[in-house]
Amino acid sequence: MLVKQIWTGNAYRNFNYLIACGETGEALAVDPLDHGKCLKAAKDEGWTITQILNTHEHHDHTGGNDAVVRHTGAKILAHRNAAGKIPGMSRGLSAGDVIKVGKTVELEALDTPGHTLCHICLKSHTDQPALFSGDTLFNAGAGNCHNGGDPGELYKTFSQQLARLPASTLVYPGHDYIENNLRFTLDREPDNRQAAQLLGKLAGQDPEQAYVSTLEVEMQVNTFFRLTSPTVIAELRDVFPDLPDQPDARTVFIKLRELRNDW
Ligand SMILES: [Zn+2]
């Protein structure tokens, strides 16, 4: 499996991806908003885009579909419940569905509601798994829920699916938010040394050569996986004095999500 991360350089800081089979050169484009950059990258690599996967229905993820289809005839794949929201879908995906790319690549669809209610993450069937996490999981952060989402569903996705993936899983998110997110981590958990070190290393990074985290790193620096940290809970109580003595993880997650909205 070959992966090319494409930095759009736009105001939304989107990352697009090409995932290709090294034997046949067939490629799947994930959220190819910047169709020009995606088509050029495929051409430069000698790859043919045959499929598009939209992680979800927001325009900054689907806005490049028409142009890519026009140039390549690629088929559009997305969550089965996105059929009324994403024009021209050829295949609706459910949890566990496998997408083949060429001869060597298999990607498994995870049904990951929360940012929206029809969001798909892709997990590769490779020795070291890769997760294409759209707007569900960001480096050191979580997707927002104010455009068709639900924080309770997002919590379930994090705790029941993402947290159970292998620690070595590579994380390829839909946006470059890492610097801002690490600052949020340090605001919520000022004694998080790993987050401070990572911010020191990455502040001002060139998103063309972006750092790729693993789930193991996310467990250390992503507040949305650190729901039982005494510091996170104590700091949260300063903001929400009504927080129970031993708040359950779901409550902590939802309060953090609420706080991140106006941070
Ligand atoms: Zn979105």
Side-chain angles (χ1 to χ4, degrees), residues 138-178:
F138 295 127
N139 296 128
N144 69 53
C145 299
H146 48 236
N147 202 350
D150 182 281
E153 289 294 320
L154 191 61
Y155 167 69
K156 258 200 267 174
T157 290
F158 266 64
S159 59
Q160 294 177 14
Q161 296 194 67
L162 303 184
R164 294 175 185 179
L165 294 173
S168 64
T169 304
L170 296 164
V171 177
Y172 290 108
H175 295 264
D176 172 37
Y177 293 155
I178 192 165

mmCIF file of all heavy atoms in Angstrom, residues 138-178:
data_model
loop_
_atom_site.group_PDB
_atom_site.id
_atom_site.type_symbol
_atom_site.label_atom_id
_atom_site.label_comp_id
_atom_site.label_asym_id
_atom_site.label_seq_id
_atom_site.Cartn_x
_atom_site.Cartn_y
_atom_site.Cartn_z
ATOM 1 N N PHE A 138 -8.630 13.808 14.936
ATOM 2 C CA PHE A 138 -7.533 14.643 14.452
ATOM 3 C C PHE A 138 -6.302 14.352 15.291
ATOM 4 O O PHE A 138 -6.395 13.785 16.376
ATOM 5 C CB PHE A 138 -7.882 16.131 14.575
ATOM 6 C CG PHE A 138 -9.019 16.564 13.698
ATOM 7 C CD1 PHE A 138 -10.106 17.233 14.237
ATOM 8 C CD2 PHE A 138 -9.006 16.302 12.339
ATOM 9 C CE1 PHE A 138 -11.163 17.631 13.423
ATOM 10 C CE2 PHE A 138 -10.052 16.693 11.524
ATOM 11 C CZ PHE A 138 -11.131 17.351 12.068
ATOM 12 N N ASN A 139 -5.145 14.756 14.836
ATOM 13 C CA ASN A 139 -3.961 14.680 15.677
ATOM 14 C C ASN A 139 -4.220 15.557 16.894
ATOM 15 O O ASN A 139 -4.470 16.756 16.771
ATOM 16 C CB ASN A 139 -2.718 15.187 14.936
ATOM 17 C CG ASN A 139 -2.364 14.318 13.744
ATOM 18 O OD1 ASN A 139 -2.188 14.806 12.637
ATOM 19 N ND2 ASN A 139 -2.273 13.017 13.952
ATOM 20 N N ALA A 140 -4.198 14.926 18.061
ATOM 21 C CA ALA A 140 -4.410 15.618 19.331
ATOM 22 C C ALA A 140 -5.794 16.265 19.463
ATOM 23 O O ALA A 140 -5.966 17.184 20.258
ATOM 24 C CB ALA A 140 -3.313 16.661 19.585
ATOM 25 N N GLY A 141 -6.767 15.777 18.695
ATOM 26 C CA GLY A 141 -8.092 16.383 18.816
ATOM 27 C C GLY A 141 -9.203 15.493 18.271
ATOM 28 O O GLY A 141 -8.966 14.375 17.817
ATOM 29 N N ALA A 142 -10.428 16.040 18.335
ATOM 30 C CA ALA A 142 -11.614 15.329 17.861
ATOM 31 C C ALA A 142 -12.432 16.277 16.998
ATOM 32 O O ALA A 142 -12.378 17.494 17.185
ATOM 33 C CB ALA A 142 -12.461 14.870 19.046
ATOM 34 N N GLY A 143 -13.198 15.729 16.082
ATOM 35 C CA GLY A 143 -14.046 16.552 15.228
ATOM 36 C C GLY A 143 -15.102 17.292 16.032
ATOM 37 O O GLY A 143 -15.483 16.860 17.121
ATOM 38 N N ASN A 144 -15.558 18.415 15.481
ATOM 39 C CA ASN A 144 -16.638 19.138 16.162
ATOM 40 C C ASN A 144 -17.978 18.457 15.834
ATOM 41 O O ASN A 144 -18.052 17.575 14.994
ATOM 42 C CB ASN A 144 -16.644 20.622 15.780
ATOM 43 C CG ASN A 144 -17.051 20.842 14.329
ATOM 44 O OD1 ASN A 144 -18.102 20.364 13.879
ATOM 45 N ND2 ASN A 144 -16.227 21.545 13.570
ATOM 46 N N CYS A 145 -19.022 18.903 16.541
ATOM 47 C CA CYS A 145 -20.330 18.245 16.362
ATOM 48 C C CYS A 145 -21.408 19.247 15.981
ATOM 49 O O CYS A 145 -22.589 18.939 16.079
ATOM 50 C CB CYS A 145 -20.720 17.525 17.647
ATOM 51 S SG CYS A 145 -19.557 16.233 18.116
ATOM 52 N N HIS A 146 -21.023 20.454 15.563
ATOM 53 C CA HIS A 146 -22.070 21.452 15.372
ATOM 54 C C HIS A 146 -22.576 21.575 13.941
ATOM 55 O O HIS A 146 -23.230 22.540 13.596
ATOM 56 C CB HIS A 146 -21.675 22.809 15.977
ATOM 57 C CG HIS A 146 -20.311 23.289 15.613
ATOM 58 N ND1 HIS A 146 -19.366 23.611 16.570
ATOM 59 C CD2 HIS A 146 -19.738 23.490 14.428
ATOM 60 C CE1 HIS A 146 -18.264 23.995 15.969
ATOM 61 N NE2 HIS A 146 -18.465 23.938 14.676
ATOM 62 N N ASN A 147 -22.291 20.603 13.114
ATOM 63 C CA ASN A 147 -22.834 20.654 11.756
ATOM 64 C C ASN A 147 -23.394 19.285 11.372
ATOM 65 O O ASN A 147 -22.947 18.654 10.433
ATOM 66 C CB ASN A 147 -21.735 21.104 10.789
ATOM 67 C CG ASN A 147 -22.298 21.686 9.509
ATOM 68 O OD1 ASN A 147 -23.503 21.591 9.254
ATOM 69 N ND2 ASN A 147 -21.434 22.270 8.701
ATOM 70 N N GLY A 148 -24.360 18.841 12.180
ATOM 71 C CA GLY A 148 -24.977 17.546 11.915
ATOM 72 C C GLY A 148 -24.421 16.422 12.766
ATOM 73 O O GLY A 148 -24.643 15.252 12.466
ATOM 74 N N GLY A 149 -23.675 16.771 13.838
ATOM 75 C CA GLY A 149 -23.058 15.732 14.657
ATOM 76 C C GLY A 149 -23.728 15.525 15.993
ATOM 77 O O GLY A 149 -24.782 16.107 16.284
ATOM 78 N N ASP A 150 -23.096 14.670 16.815
ATOM 79 C CA ASP A 150 -23.635 14.350 18.121
ATOM 80 C C ASP A 150 -22.488 13.917 19.041
ATOM 81 O O ASP A 150 -21.838 12.911 18.783
ATOM 82 C CB ASP A 150 -24.655 13.211 17.983
ATOM 83 C CG ASP A 150 -25.283 12.860 19.320
ATOM 84 O OD1 ASP A 150 -24.647 12.144 20.121
ATOM 85 O OD2 ASP A 150 -26.409 13.327 19.573
ATOM 86 N N PRO A 151 -22.222 14.691 20.111
ATOM 87 C CA PRO A 151 -21.060 14.388 20.959
ATOM 88 C C PRO A 151 -21.151 13.035 21.663
ATOM 89 O O PRO A 151 -20.124 12.387 21.880
ATOM 90 C CB PRO A 151 -21.023 15.544 21.968
ATOM 91 C CG PRO A 151 -22.275 16.319 21.780
ATOM 92 C CD PRO A 151 -22.893 15.944 20.486
ATOM 93 N N GLY A 152 -22.353 12.589 22.003
ATOM 94 C CA GLY A 152 -22.496 11.271 22.637
ATOM 95 C C GLY A 152 -22.082 10.159 21.673
ATOM 96 O O GLY A 152 -21.440 9.181 22.058
ATOM 97 N N GLU A 153 -22.477 10.313 20.402
ATOM 98 C CA GLU A 153 -22.083 9.331 19.376
ATOM 99 C C GLU A 153 -20.569 9.371 19.156
ATOM 100 O O GLU A 153 -19.934 8.338 18.967
ATOM 101 C CB GLU A 153 -22.800 9.631 18.053
ATOM 102 C CG GLU A 153 -24.287 9.333 18.064
ATOM 103 C CD GLU A 153 -24.574 7.847 18.210
ATOM 104 O OE1 GLU A 153 -23.856 7.037 17.593
ATOM 105 O OE2 GLU A 153 -25.505 7.506 18.957
ATOM 106 N N LEU A 154 -20.016 10.585 19.165
ATOM 107 C CA LEU A 154 -18.563 10.718 18.964
ATOM 108 C C LEU A 154 -17.810 10.031 20.104
ATOM 109 O O LEU A 154 -16.805 9.352 19.882
ATOM 110 C CB LEU A 154 -18.175 12.200 18.865
ATOM 111 C CG LEU A 154 -16.744 12.489 18.399
ATOM 112 C CD1 LEU A 154 -16.490 11.943 17.003
ATOM 113 C CD2 LEU A 154 -16.445 13.985 18.437
ATOM 114 N N TYR A 155 -18.313 10.196 21.325
ATOM 115 C CA TYR A 155 -17.697 9.511 22.463
ATOM 116 C C TYR A 155 -17.716 8.003 22.259
ATOM 117 O O TYR A 155 -16.712 7.311 22.487
ATOM 118 C CB TYR A 155 -18.411 9.871 23.774
ATOM 119 C CG TYR A 155 -18.010 8.946 24.889
ATOM 120 C CD1 TYR A 155 -16.720 8.979 25.416
ATOM 121 C CD2 TYR A 155 -18.890 7.975 25.372
ATOM 122 C CE1 TYR A 155 -16.326 8.088 26.394
ATOM 123 C CE2 TYR A 155 -18.509 7.078 26.355
ATOM 124 C CZ TYR A 155 -17.223 7.138 26.856
ATOM 125 O OH TYR A 155 -16.824 6.244 27.814
ATOM 126 N N LYS A 156 -18.860 7.479 21.818
ATOM 127 C CA LYS A 156 -18.964 6.027 21.585
ATOM 128 C C LYS A 156 -17.957 5.570 20.532
ATOM 129 O O LYS A 156 -17.317 4.528 20.665
ATOM 130 C CB LYS A 156 -20.387 5.668 21.121
ATOM 131 C CG LYS A 156 -21.245 5.079 22.205
ATOM 132 C CD LYS A 156 -22.423 4.320 21.615
ATOM 133 C CE LYS A 156 -23.643 5.206 21.494
ATOM 134 N NZ LYS A 156 -24.776 4.594 20.811
ATOM 135 N N THR A 157 -17.838 6.363 19.468
ATOM 136 C CA THR A 157 -16.883 6.018 18.409
ATOM 137 C C THR A 157 -15.462 5.989 18.964
ATOM 138 O O THR A 157 -14.688 5.060 18.686
ATOM 139 C CB THR A 157 -17.000 7.031 17.254
ATOM 140 O OG1 THR A 157 -18.253 6.819 16.594
ATOM 141 C CG2 THR A 157 -15.877 6.868 16.241
ATOM 142 N N PHE A 158 -15.108 6.995 19.760
ATOM 143 C CA PHE A 158 -13.758 7.039 20.335
ATOM 144 C C PHE A 158 -13.519 5.847 21.278
ATOM 145 O O PHE A 158 -12.497 5.172 21.186
ATOM 146 C CB PHE A 158 -13.536 8.355 21.111
ATOM 147 C CG PHE A 158 -12.882 9.432 20.288
ATOM 148 C CD1 PHE A 158 -13.518 9.963 19.179
ATOM 149 C CD2 PHE A 158 -11.624 9.911 20.614
ATOM 150 C CE1 PHE A 158 -12.915 10.953 18.402
ATOM 151 C CE2 PHE A 158 -11.003 10.891 19.844
ATOM 152 C CZ PHE A 158 -11.653 11.411 18.743
ATOM 153 N N SER A 159 -14.470 5.609 22.185
ATOM 154 C CA SER A 159 -14.203 4.634 23.248
ATOM 155 C C SER A 159 -14.381 3.202 22.757
ATOM 156 O O SER A 159 -13.635 2.314 23.174
ATOM 157 C CB SER A 159 -15.105 4.915 24.446
ATOM 158 O OG SER A 159 -16.459 4.852 24.054
ATOM 159 N N GLN A 160 -15.343 2.975 21.872
ATOM 160 C CA GLN A 160 -15.638 1.593 21.482
ATOM 161 C C GLN A 160 -14.919 1.158 20.211
ATOM 162 O O GLN A 160 -14.806 -0.039 19.954
ATOM 163 C CB GLN A 160 -17.149 1.394 21.316
ATOM 164 C CG GLN A 160 -17.882 1.542 22.640
ATOM 165 C CD GLN A 160 -19.381 1.416 22.506
ATOM 166 O OE1 GLN A 160 -19.890 0.979 21.487
ATOM 167 N NE2 GLN A 160 -20.101 1.811 23.534
ATOM 168 N N GLN A 161 -14.474 2.117 19.395
ATOM 169 C CA GLN A 161 -13.804 1.720 18.153
ATOM 170 C C GLN A 161 -12.354 2.205 18.102
ATOM 171 O O GLN A 161 -11.419 1.410 18.015
ATOM 172 C CB GLN A 161 -14.569 2.263 16.943
ATOM 173 C CG GLN A 161 -15.975 1.685 16.808
ATOM 174 C CD GLN A 161 -16.555 1.979 15.445
ATOM 175 O OE1 GLN A 161 -16.090 1.467 14.424
ATOM 176 N NE2 GLN A 161 -17.568 2.826 15.403
ATOM 177 N N LEU A 162 -12.141 3.516 18.154
ATOM 178 C CA LEU A 162 -10.786 4.036 17.928
ATOM 179 C C LEU A 162 -9.824 3.583 19.024
ATOM 180 O O LEU A 162 -8.698 3.161 18.741
ATOM 181 C CB LEU A 162 -10.813 5.568 17.840
ATOM 182 C CG LEU A 162 -11.744 6.144 16.764
ATOM 183 C CD1 LEU A 162 -11.614 7.661 16.714
ATOM 184 C CD2 LEU A 162 -11.451 5.535 15.397
ATOM 185 N N ALA A 163 -10.261 3.636 20.277
ATOM 186 C CA ALA A 163 -9.366 3.288 21.392
ATOM 187 C C ALA A 163 -8.963 1.822 21.354
ATOM 188 O O ALA A 163 -8.003 1.425 22.008
ATOM 189 C CB ALA A 163 -10.037 3.613 22.725
ATOM 190 N N ARG A 164 -9.680 1.011 20.593
ATOM 191 C CA ARG A 164 -9.390 -0.425 20.545
ATOM 192 C C ARG A 164 -8.513 -0.817 19.357
ATOM 193 O O ARG A 164 -8.172 -1.985 19.197
ATOM 194 C CB ARG A 164 -10.701 -1.218 20.509
ATOM 195 C CG ARG A 164 -11.470 -1.053 21.801
ATOM 196 C CD ARG A 164 -12.819 -1.724 21.779
ATOM 197 N NE ARG A 164 -13.561 -1.428 23.005
ATOM 198 C CZ ARG A 164 -14.770 -1.869 23.260
ATOM 199 N NH1 ARG A 164 -15.395 -2.639 22.382
ATOM 200 N NH2 ARG A 164 -15.376 -1.540 24.382
ATOM 201 N N LEU A 165 -8.153 0.141 18.539
ATOM 202 C CA LEU A 165 -7.260 -0.166 17.413
ATOM 203 C C LEU A 165 -5.844 -0.402 17.951
ATOM 204 O O LEU A 165 -5.489 0.089 19.021
ATOM 205 C CB LEU A 165 -7.256 1.007 16.419
ATOM 206 C CG LEU A 165 -8.580 1.274 15.701
ATOM 207 C CD1 LEU A 165 -8.490 2.555 14.886
ATOM 208 C CD2 LEU A 165 -8.952 0.103 14.800
ATOM 209 N N PRO A 166 -5.015 -1.132 17.186
ATOM 210 C CA PRO A 166 -3.642 -1.364 17.648
ATOM 211 C C PRO A 166 -2.892 -0.048 17.882
ATOM 212 O O PRO A 166 -3.079 0.926 17.149
ATOM 213 C CB PRO A 166 -3.003 -2.135 16.486
ATOM 214 C CG PRO A 166 -4.140 -2.734 15.735
ATOM 215 C CD PRO A 166 -5.302 -1.794 15.904
ATOM 216 N N ALA A 167 -2.033 -0.041 18.917
ATOM 217 C CA ALA A 167 -1.283 1.170 19.268
ATOM 218 C C ALA A 167 -0.418 1.665 18.113
ATOM 219 O O ALA A 167 -0.151 2.861 17.972
ATOM 220 C CB ALA A 167 -0.412 0.896 20.490
ATOM 221 N N SER A 168 0.020 0.750 17.264
ATOM 222 C CA SER A 168 0.927 1.125 16.163
ATOM 223 C C SER A 168 0.197 1.765 14.976
ATOM 224 O O SER A 168 0.837 2.178 14.007
ATOM 225 C CB SER A 168 1.665 -0.122 15.674
ATOM 226 O OG SER A 168 0.746 -1.049 15.126
ATOM 227 N N THR A 169 -1.134 1.864 15.035
ATOM 228 C CA THR A 169 -1.908 2.391 13.903
ATOM 229 C C THR A 169 -1.483 3.818 13.537
ATOM 230 O O THR A 169 -1.466 4.712 14.393
ATOM 231 C CB THR A 169 -3.420 2.397 14.261
ATOM 232 O OG1 THR A 169 -3.803 1.084 14.637
ATOM 233 C CG2 THR A 169 -4.266 2.874 13.078
ATOM 234 N N LEU A 170 -1.163 4.024 12.282
ATOM 235 C CA LEU A 170 -0.829 5.370 11.797
ATOM 236 C C LEU A 170 -2.106 6.177 11.617
ATOM 237 O O LEU A 170 -3.121 5.646 11.157
ATOM 238 C CB LEU A 170 -0.100 5.271 10.446
ATOM 239 C CG LEU A 170 1.264 4.579 10.480
ATOM 240 C CD1 LEU A 170 1.705 4.197 9.067
ATOM 241 C CD2 LEU A 170 2.300 5.491 11.137
ATOM 242 N N VAL A 171 -2.053 7.461 11.958
ATOM 243 C CA VAL A 171 -3.255 8.301 11.919
ATOM 244 C C VAL A 171 -3.122 9.344 10.809
ATOM 245 O O VAL A 171 -2.208 10.184 10.843
ATOM 246 C CB VAL A 171 -3.479 8.988 13.281
ATOM 247 C CG1 VAL A 171 -4.689 9.918 13.224
ATOM 248 C CG2 VAL A 171 -3.667 7.946 14.384
ATOM 249 N N TYR A 172 -4.048 9.270 9.838
ATOM 250 C CA TYR A 172 -4.070 10.219 8.719
ATOM 251 C C TYR A 172 -5.391 10.993 8.748
ATOM 252 O O TYR A 172 -6.397 10.556 8.210
ATOM 253 C CB TYR A 172 -3.952 9.458 7.391
ATOM 254 C CG TYR A 172 -2.603 8.838 7.132
ATOM 255 C CD1 TYR A 172 -2.425 7.458 7.203
ATOM 256 C CD2 TYR A 172 -1.501 9.625 6.783
ATOM 257 C CE1 TYR A 172 -1.186 6.878 6.941
ATOM 258 C CE2 TYR A 172 -0.265 9.061 6.515
ATOM 259 C CZ TYR A 172 -0.117 7.681 6.596
ATOM 260 O OH TYR A 172 1.109 7.110 6.335
ATOM 261 N N PRO A 173 -5.407 12.170 9.373
ATOM 262 C CA PRO A 173 -6.650 12.917 9.541
ATOM 263 C C PRO A 173 -7.006 13.786 8.327
ATOM 264 O O PRO A 173 -6.196 13.962 7.421
ATOM 265 C CB PRO A 173 -6.342 13.801 10.751
ATOM 266 C CG PRO A 173 -4.873 14.062 10.631
ATOM 267 C CD PRO A 173 -4.260 12.839 9.993
ATOM 268 N N GLY A 174 -8.216 14.330 8.365
ATOM 269 C CA GLY A 174 -8.712 15.147 7.264
ATOM 270 C C GLY A 174 -8.259 16.600 7.291
ATOM 271 O O GLY A 174 -8.477 17.333 6.319
ATOM 272 N N HIS A 175 -7.670 17.027 8.390
ATOM 273 C CA HIS A 175 -7.199 18.421 8.496
ATOM 274 C C HIS A 175 -5.895 18.465 9.288
ATOM 275 O O HIS A 175 -5.654 17.611 10.146
ATOM 276 C CB HIS A 175 -8.221 19.307 9.238
ATOM 277 C CG HIS A 175 -9.528 19.483 8.529
ATOM 278 N ND1 HIS A 175 -9.811 20.576 7.731
ATOM 279 C CD2 HIS A 175 -10.637 18.708 8.500
ATOM 280 C CE1 HIS A 175 -11.040 20.470 7.250
ATOM 281 N NE2 HIS A 175 -11.570 19.340 7.701
ATOM 282 N N ASP A 176 -5.114 19.492 9.038
ATOM 283 C CA ASP A 176 -3.910 19.746 9.832
ATOM 284 C C ASP A 176 -4.250 20.733 10.943
ATOM 285 O O ASP A 176 -4.210 21.942 10.742
ATOM 286 C CB ASP A 176 -2.792 20.331 8.959
ATOM 287 C CG ASP A 176 -1.615 20.776 9.816
ATOM 288 O OD1 ASP A 176 -1.317 20.078 10.801
ATOM 289 O OD2 ASP A 176 -1.010 21.824 9.527
ATOM 290 N N TYR A 177 -4.603 20.190 12.110
ATOM 291 C CA TYR A 177 -4.936 21.038 13.256
ATOM 292 C C TYR A 177 -3.987 20.795 14.427
ATOM 293 O O TYR A 177 -4.264 21.213 15.558
ATOM 294 C CB TYR A 177 -6.359 20.737 13.755
ATOM 295 C CG TYR A 177 -7.491 21.108 12.823
ATOM 296 C CD1 TYR A 177 -8.717 20.445 12.902
ATOM 297 C CD2 TYR A 177 -7.373 22.137 11.887
ATOM 298 C CE1 TYR A 177 -9.782 20.776 12.077
ATOM 299 C CE2 TYR A 177 -8.438 22.469 11.055
ATOM 300 C CZ TYR A 177 -9.641 21.787 11.155
ATOM 301 O OH TYR A 177 -10.697 22.115 10.353
ATOM 302 N N ILE A 178 -2.892 20.077 14.195
ATOM 303 C CA ILE A 178 -2.143 19.520 15.325
ATOM 304 C C ILE A 178 -1.619 20.591 16.288
ATOM 305 O O ILE A 178 -1.685 20.429 17.505
ATOM 306 C CB ILE A 178 -0.998 18.597 14.831
ATOM 307 C CG1 ILE A 178 -0.417 17.806 16.012
ATOM 308 C CG2 ILE A 178 0.091 19.365 14.079
ATOM 309 C CD1 ILE A 178 0.442 16.622 15.608
#
